[in-house]
Every structure is written in structure tokens, then in C-alpha cells.
Amino acid sequence: MYQIKTVAVLTSGGDAPGMNAALRAVTRAAIYNGMRVMAVMKGYKGLVTNDIVEFKTQNVSNIIHHGGTIIKTARCKEFTTPEGRQMAYDNLKRHNVDALVVLGGDGTFTGAKIFAQEFNFPVVGVPCTIDNDLYGTDYTIGYDTALNTVIEAVDKIRDTASSHERLFFVEVMGRDAGFLALNAAIASGAEAAVIPEVRLKDDMLAEVIQNGFRKTKNSSIVLVAESEVTGGAEGVAARVKAEHPEYDARVVVLGHIQRGGSPSAQDRILASRMGAAAIDALLEEQRNLMVGVVNDEIVYVPFSKAIKDDKPINMKLIATLRALSI
Ligand code: F6P
């Protein structure tokens, strides 16, 4: 039986809209339950360099609607070394921290798992990534906002695609996952999605090439998930142009615009629920796990599962896209 008096919180890896809302929820839920909160600046970097400050409830006022993260984020090399993690542990002890809540994605939880095991230290993760690629949770914080950002951009691209009767390949983020590309394709009424989960020979691009994009329409939009497997939008465009040099094709890479902006209502609610649930987990003496949401219920998933297992994509969505893009 141990009692957590002080909890530290950090944001790490790529930022995601809703990280601030999650930070607010962790801070407020901890204080509500009688804990002291220490905010670690710049992710694991701040742990290693002792950039740690106390947060009161007013430190997280007026941030729920802001994108990014007010405590900054980083990808930290030092924390991947035993020496760096030892410094991080010493700094946590210096501030009498009993538990750590980490807000981030795959890389963040990989570091958290190693650290928790090495020092037998309680760590809980809150999934914040636009990629939605963590096993054990239906959604990650930031994904819904990014999806809306993508469809807003594609709506605009559609105007010019249609005016010029062009074929557009729009590349979206997702690291090695196609959640953003596939669902954005459905939501924006795109003609096809090329995602890493579908083998090259079966992908929808083959159909676009075979049928010819002008069969029933005079403009087309194909969403492409960034990844070595798909070859990105440039790679896909090259495949198509090789067979159809006559197509008037263009490539758009949406890039980091997808990570910014005010979080959607869905992401704010998800962040608020998951942030509070992280503190609940610590109160229940649970540790070394990620908070998830499955069928609208909070669940807890061991770090080892969340980062190791591949989150399956619903292949029925491909069939839906195929049927609706005739
Ligand atoms: O994991 C979030 C993400 O935005 C991925 O979709 C993308 O591949 C990566 O981060 C980009 O990272 P960086 O901002 O370090 O270039």
C-alpha cells in the first residue's frame, strides 16, 4: 500500500490538439484528490535537466481550447540511455515525486515502460497522437481534430481539382498507420485511399489506374498515408503517371498543419476523461499502463500491449469507400 502525494506530468513526442486539455485534466484531478502536481517542461528532456515547476489549478486555466502544449514537448535522446534515465529518476526524487503521468504516443510509452521497470516507479500514460495508432484504445487525443483539419483542406483542394479537371494526391500524416488517410477519404468524399495496411497489389490505386480516373468523374482526389510502404503522395503519383502520363496530376503534402489548431469537442472530452482517469488509475494503485477508451468506456492497457500490438484498421471502411466513390 503506497500513497501518492506528488505526481509529475509531462508531454512528449509529437504534439497533438487536446494535449493541453489533457494536461488540465491531470492537474485538476490530481489537485482535487489532494495531490501536489509538478509539471515537467519539454518532455523527458525536462526530467533529465531538472526543468520542473509546481503547477496549481490556475496554471491550467484558459488552455482547454488551445492546440500545442503549454509545457512544451521534445523527442529526447538522453532519456534513451541508462545514464539519462538515472538523472531523470534523481530529479523526480529531488522533488519528492511519487508517480509520473506521461502524455504522448508510441515513443513516449516505450520510454515510460523502460523507466517504470528500471526504477520500479509508477507511470501512467495518456494517449495523445494524431496517428490514432495505439493498440487498446478506440481513439487517441488529437486524432479527431486532425481528421477535421484534413477534410477542411481536402474540401478546398476539391474546388481547384474540379475547376481544372485534375487528379490530386493528398498526403496525410499517420507514421505507419492509415487511420487518418482512410477516414479522411470517407469524410471528404475522396475517390480512393492508399494506406500501408493494404498490400500494394490490392490497394485502391490499382483500380484508379485500371478504370481511369475520368471514367465517371472529371476530377479525383486520392488520399495517401505517409509511409515507406505507400511511397507517400509523390511515390503514388509516380506510379500513376508511369501508366497514364496524360493525367493532369498534382501532389499536396499537408504536413504539420495537421498537428495544430483548437481541439474539437470530441478531443476535449476525450482528453478530460482520460486525464482524470490517469489519476483514478494511480489512486487505484494501478501502474505502468495506458488509459484507453473502448466502446465509450475507460479501460487500462499495459504499456507493453499498447506499443507492441498493431492496432487493426477496420477493412469494412475500405469497402464503404469503394462503394461510395463510384
Ligand atoms: O506521430 C505524430 C506525427 O505527426 C506523425 O504523424 C509524423 O510521422 C511524425 O509525427 C512527424 O514528426 P516530426 O514532427 O518530428 O517531424
Side-chain angles (χ1 to χ4, degrees):
M1 175 81 186
Y2 65 98
Q3 203 199 347
I4 291 168
K5 294 197 185 106
T6 304
V7 63
V9 58
L10 59 82
T11 52
S12 165
D15 60 340
M19 258 184 173
N20 278 326
L23 170 67
R24 171 183 178 269
V26 170
T27 305
R28 295 256 166 108
I31 293 172
Y32 180 80
N33 285 287
M35 297 175 191
R36 198 164 154 253
V37 177
M38 304 303 292
V40 181
M41 307 303 289
K42 301 182 192 161
Y44 291 125
K45 198 172 236 167
L47 269 192
V48 175
T49 59
N50 193 22
D51 196 354
I52 303 172
V53 290
E54 184 168 0
F55 255 29
K56 302 283 189 192
T57 176
Q58 57 271 26
N59 289 104
V60 291
S61 295
N62 294 324
I63 65 167
I64 196 168
H65 56 304
H66 288 307
T69 159
I70 62 161
I71 56 172
K72 317 288 181 197
T73 183
R75 302 191 197 273
C76 175
K77 278 219 178 76
E78 293 96 312
F79 197 73
T80 61
T81 67
E83 298 75 27
R85 290 192 294 274
Q86 182 66 53
M87 285 162 82
Y89 179 75
D90 293 344
N91 285 327
L92 284 173
K93 286 287 122 192
R94 186 166 293 146
H95 292 278
N96 298 316
V97 174
D98 311 300
L100 177 64
V101 177
V102 295
L103 279 49
D106 197 70
T108 305
F109 297 160
T110 303
K113 179 177 164 276
I114 297 169
F115 182 78
Q117 280 168 351
E118 248 170 16
F119 297 97
N120 189 26
F121 198 83
V123 187
V124 172
V126 177
C128 296
T129 165
I130 64 164
D131 303 336
N132 198 34
D133 59 348
L134 288 161
Y135 181 88
T137 185
D138 288 347
Y139 300 107
T140 57
I141 297 161
Y143 169 64
D144 182 66
T145 307
L147 204 47
N148 280 290
T149 301
V150 172
I151 64 171
E152 206 179 310
V154 174
D155 288 350
K156 292 191 169 111
I157 292 166
R158 182 176 294 286
D159 290 343
T160 179
S162 141
S163 304
H164 285 267
E165 304 198 329
R166 277 176 174 159
L167 170 58
F168 269 84
F169 296 99
V170 182
E171 181 175 308
V172 302
M173 282 186 169
R175 221 162 40 113
D176 296 315
F179 295 95
L180 261 181
L182 181 54
N183 284 297
I186 293 176
S188 62
E191 276 57 46
V194 181
I195 59 172
E197 290 84 349
V198 177
R199 280 170 304 150
L200 215 54
K201 71 177 183 46
D202 299 329
D203 76 14
M204 296 186 71
L205 191 63
E207 283 168 50
V208 173
I209 296 173
Q210 205 178 350
N211 300 339
F213 89 98
R214 290 180 197 275
K215 195 175 172 197
T216 58
K217 301 175 181 184
N218 56 16
S219 68
S220 284
I221 293 175
V222 176
L223 287 201
V224 183
E226 63 167 4
S227 136
E228 276 178 19
V229 180
T230 63
E234 284 289 358
V236 169
R239 268 169 74 197
V240 173
K241 278 183 191 164
E243 293 207 25
H244 290 282
E246 74 280 12
Y247 286 179
D248 195 5
R250 292 289 185 278
V251 166
V252 176
V253 178
L254 291 184
H256 286 79
I257 194 172
Q258 295 161 92
R259 291 231 297 254
S262 179
S264 66
Q266 287 284 5
D267 276 332
R268 295 182 200 193
I269 295 165
L270 190 63
S272 301
R273 291 179 68 192
M274 285 180 160
I279 298 301
D280 289 343
L282 291 173
L283 290 169
E284 291 163 14
E285 299 184 20
Q286 303 207 60
R287 47 160 74 192
N288 309 341
L289 42 78
M290 177 193 85
V291 179
V293 69
V294 172
N295 295 332
D296 207 31
E297 294 295 338
I298 291 289
V299 296
Y300 297 110
V301 193
F303 280 140
S304 49
K305 256 191 128 34
I307 55 185
K308 190 171 150 278
D309 292 8
D310 277 342
K311 180 167 168 177
I313 207 153
N314 184 351
M315 290 298 168
K316 288 183 186 154
L317 295 175
I318 304 236
T320 303
L321 178 60
R322 185 170 275 135
L324 302 187
S325 61
I326 52 172

